[in-house]
Amino acid sequence: MSHTTLHRHLIQLLNNGYSENEIRTLVIAPHAVIDQAIATYHQQQQKVTRQLQSQQAQASYAMRLKH
């Protein structure tokens, strides 16, 4: 399996609810690949959180303007 495919599958497992510890213990892969996939997953989660916070702030502002 290629590095890219493995990386994608690891992120998919994390997205499906597997914990970092489960990934580390259950998946047989180089530690560097696992660490990189987990780091990428965290970056994606932070990006989503920032986007949701921005949308919530915009919605709150719009609701204040309405009243």
Side-chain angles (χ1 to χ4, degrees), residues 25-43:
T25 57
L26 298 175
V27 175
I28 299 171
H31 292 290
V33 175
I34 293 173
D35 292 341
Q36 184 181 18
I38 290 171
T40 302
Y41 173 75
H42 284 298
Q43 289 172 348

Side-chain angles (χ1 to χ4, degrees), residues 41-53:
Y41 173 75
H42 284 298
Q43 289 172 348
Q44 289 174 348
Q45 293 303 312
Q46 289 172 350
K47 182 179 177 182
V48 167
T49 300
R50 282 192 303 271
Q51 288 172 339
L52 290 174
Q53 289 171 340

